[in-house]
Amino acid sequence: MPAGFTTGLPGLDEVLKGVMPGDNIVWQVDDIAEYKSLVEPYAKAARDSGRRLIYFRFASHEALIPDDFGAEIHRPNPALGFESFVNAVHEVIEAVGMHAVYVFDCLSELAATWLADQMLGNFFVLTCPRLWDLETVTYFALYRNFHASFALAPITDTTQFLLDVFRHKDMIYVRPIKVQHRSTQSMNTIHAWEGDRFRPITNSTIISEVLVSSRWPGLRSDTRLGFWRRIFNEAQQAHDNVCAGRCPPEHEHGVFERLSRMVLSRDDAMLRLIHRYLTLGDILDIRDRMVGIGLIGGKALGMILARAILKRDAPDCHAVLESHDSFHIGSDVFYTFLIRNGAWWIRQKQRHAETFLDGLEEARTRILQGHFPDYTLDQFQAILDYFGESPYIVRSSSLLEDAYGNAFAGKYESLFCANQGTREQRLKALLDTVRQVYASTMSEDALRYRRARGLLDWDEQMALLVMRVSGEKYDDKFLPHLAGVGFSLNPYVWHKEIDPRAGVIRLVFGLGTRAVDRSDDDYTRLVALNAPLRRPESNFNQVCEHSQRRVDYLDLAANRFSSGHFLDLLRNTPTIPVAMFASCDAPAENEGAAPAHALTFEKLLTSTPFVSDMRTMLETLERAYGCPVDIEFAANFLTDTEYRINLLQCRPLQARVDEGVTMPTISVDESERILEARGAIIGPSRFVRLDRIVYVVPRLYAELPLARRHEVARLLGRINQAECVQSQTTMLLGPGRWGTSSPELGIPVHFSEISRIAVLCEIVAMRENLTPDVSVGTHFLNELVEMDILYMALFPNLQNNYLNEAAFLDAPNILLDCIPGADRWQEVVRVIDAANLAHPERAVHLLADAGEQRATLFVSDRKSS
């Protein structure tokens, strides 16, 4: 009895989880030599095991198996026609019978001979199942980027294995695309062929570099609309003519203008940047990575523009960027999806202020249960085949996002996919994720944001950006070494050494979700780029206490987004490198104890050019945009000194610039002082007279059950919309963290529920150990900056901080005048007319000096305002 089936390469057998009777294995190659290198050990193993080895020799390329090798060589002639060729091949197969080993020449020459990709697919559909029935093992090959879907779709659907083979820097890589009837853990990723070993590559930097170099053809569906295809064909011809010197560069200008508005943006401000930094070639590259048609949206455009700006204006920075290989789901796919799933007319109600919240639940249900056309599904599958098992994130990229004037920070969903499981499971996960992001366009928070900015009747289509997650795999966890957000203008100047124009970054270890979400009792590292070692904390104990404790990552075993304590992660996954990011200290009282680690990022900031790179990057982008910018990024170290930065997002920062305003010097009598705060002041300095104060009583709020705390947040939203504050300058004070999703930590308001206030103050009074996380860069704080709302924190129990709570408790509460029927909340929420805190002819003022990090609320003469 012959030995079991094998590829002849033990490492490859391990990747494929063994070769089984009936397996048809299709290799996509760039060069026949790559296919031959795989055929040789496979054929030798078959011959040595005593199996019948059948070689179909019909192509013009060099022979894969020599005549004297011992194989049975058959030479069917494809020039005789499809039917003759099929019959000749099947006659051999039937005669040979069970358990043979087969090698076919490269099938691509069949399509060239028959002048029909579809016939190649037909041949495979006829032949592969019969080989399966006879429990054979067969090698086929196709030239990559050579065939239309008429050939590739039936081959992919029918075969058991479809694998990519490509060479990069003298190394051969193998990537399984389709694997059937196997456990798929770690299978659908790129493997480097190293001798007998096929080593999985999990580093995002290396993967994207290899795939970008592989001449991947893009998402060129055979079913694109004729108009779209015709325009792009003309554009490609114009581009080719210019590149070949057959016509001057100006010949591209008209085509570029037209396509810019079709694909990139219709916003004049963004178009000015597009015309300065992008080319027709850039648009053609986007076309090749695009599902459907339409615009790519603001978030995708911001990322592409930022990379182009750095490439031209800061090439040294561009050289450290991770390769970009994202995909775009065109905005028209969203419209088609809504129409075909019965949500279109519900969405039309959102164009009117009177009905913009009507039918939201029905629309969301229709979207979450919706179906996509087959041609869109084919392109989604092509994305997954490209990514393999690499994790990705589906990011909202609506037409209005990240443009001048409207950040839409955190208004729409961006969701990670760990991307593990069978091909079918991974496709289902992608479709569910796309549906969830589409459904987020129907969220009340997003619609209120649009109404507040007069955007309800604007064309707001949802395009999507599908990005590879930047990072590395450690055991069953995937995460980047660091991630964060950056502002080219620092709104939080906590020390005189800090130059707000130098910018600021907010760093986390792991996925960047902790840098943009304000969700739990944790901290991040805030870095002023001109004084990177200057921390808001005053001593090392505070540094350790306020360092990041929890890390977000993708759990590949559980196939989901997850988080865990940093020390647990370090203990359970010791291969994670932390020396660049964590400081450690062995406890003096126990010399045998493991060193304690704290995420300080000290070595990163002092021993690498990372700070300089980030500062140059932010300065360059601000100069190009003509205003401050806000970016998101991730970074990974390839060696102890070499790293790559993945620039994930760039948008204009809607912030008022404090041009060195000198604040008045005012002496406040102790009897006139209501509040004094030192530290954690974000926003330009100001001296304002207040009309209203809304005070959430910390002691009473802390006694509420968690569910009732959500009711308080909704009540504040009603106050925000009430006439009693709409035309007033209002200060809002309350305990814990504003905008948290964890009501045990603070007040879980949405930004739309506090959007009309002038000053927001967090009172550290709920828990003694809960210090405000100065969350520069979070979606919540971004909106405060965007709307020029002053943020401040008050520490009642610390020196130089003071709160005269009695002034708020003794003043008349006008809550019921603003919100009739809110009787149950009169003790917890107090709405105070500032005039009731002062004597006649006097007023309540706030003097906030961001440079000094000091704010005083006091009563003074009206004329001092």
Side-chain angles (χ1 to χ4, degrees), residues 158 182 257 280 287-288 294 354 399 536 590 608 621 657 705 731 775 777 853:
T158 308
R182 302 289 196 282
E257 288 275 351
L280 182 58
R287 180 272 312 265
D288 289 344
E354 301 79 15
L399 269 57
N590 186 356
T608 75
L621 294 172
V657 180
M731 181 177 184
S775 307
Q853 286 293 286

Side-chain angles (χ1 to χ4, degrees), residues 182-348:
R182 302 289 196 282
S183 167
T184 61
Q185 181 66 32
S186 298
M187 188 179 294
N188 293 100
T189 193
I190 293 177
H191 294 74
W193 186 356
E194 299 173 344
D196 289 333
R197 181 170 175 245
F198 284 72
R199 177 174 60 87
I201 305 298
T202 59
N203 183 284
S204 64
T205 298
I206 298 174
I207 292 174
S208 58
E209 179 178 324
V210 169
L211 289 181
V212 167
S213 72
S214 70
R215 296 187 295 112
W216 187 73
L219 301 174
R220 301 193 190 190
S221 169
D222 294 327
T223 55
R224 287 187 186 273
L225 295 181
F227 175 79
W228 187 268
R229 186 182 220 176
R230 184 166 59 253
I231 294 296
F232 268 104
N233 286 344
E234 293 171 1
Q236 186 69 62
Q237 186 63 51
H239 183 64
D240 292 344
N241 287 339
V242 171
C243 291
R246 291 189 289 267
C247 59
E250 294 77 18
H251 185 69
E252 290 185 344
H253 182 71
V255 180
F256 177 69
E257 288 275 351
R258 186 178 190 183
L259 285 182
S260 294
R261 292 182 175 273
M262 286 175 58
V263 178
L264 300 178
S265 180
R266 297 171 190 146
D267 179 81
D268 289 338
M270 297 305 293
L271 284 167
R272 284 192 289 271
L273 278 176
I274 288 166
H275 294 156
R276 283 174 58 195
Y277 289 100
L278 298 182
T279 68
L280 182 58
D282 294 320
I283 299 179
L284 293 173
D285 288 342
I286 291 169
R287 180 272 312 265
D288 289 344
R289 309 191 71 85
M290 191 169 181
V291 173
I293 63 176
L295 292 157
I296 63 173
K299 192 171 292 181
L301 176 60
M303 179 197 64
I304 290 170
L305 268 174
R307 288 173 173 270
I309 290 166
L310 294 176
K311 185 175 183 179
R312 196 186 80 176
D313 296 348
D316 289 344
C317 272
H318 186 267
V320 301
L321 292 184
E322 186 171 316
S323 296
H324 153 59
D325 63 347
S326 302
F327 291 89
H328 310 279
I329 300 177
S331 56
D332 284 5
V333 176
F334 174 64
Y335 271 178
T336 300
F337 182 83
L338 292 183
I339 292 167
R340 296 199 178 190
N341 290 285
W344 176 263
W345 294 114
I346 298 174
R347 187 176 185 274
Q348 295 308 295

Side-chain angles (χ1 to χ4, degrees), residues 472-504:
E472 174 65 281
K473 179 183 177 185
Y474 299 99
D475 295 337
D476 58 359
K477 297 175 177 61
F478 190 96
L479 69 160
H481 294 151
L482 63 111
V485 295
F487 285 2
S488 63
L489 175 69
N490 185 355
Y492 177 31
V493 181
W494 65 86
H495 192 274
K496 289 183 178 297
E497 289 183 7
I498 294 172
D499 177 8
R501 285 292 190 181
V504 63

Side-chain angles (χ1 to χ4, degrees), residues 109 153 186 200 348 354 360 376 379 430 621 749 780 843:
E109 290 207 12
S186 298
Q348 295 308 295
E354 301 79 15
L360 290 190
T376 302
Q379 292 188 294
L430 172 59
L621 294 172
V749 292
F780 186 82

Side-chain angles (χ1 to χ4, degrees), residues 58 77-86 89 107-124:
F58 51 81
N77 185 358
L80 297 177
F82 173 81
E83 188 172 353
S84 265
F85 184 84
V86 170
V89 169
L107 298 183
S108 294
E109 290 207 12
L110 296 178
T113 301
W114 297 329
L115 301 177
D117 277 319
Q118 191 167 12
M119 300 313 291
L120 169 58
N122 290 339
F123 167 76
F124 196 86

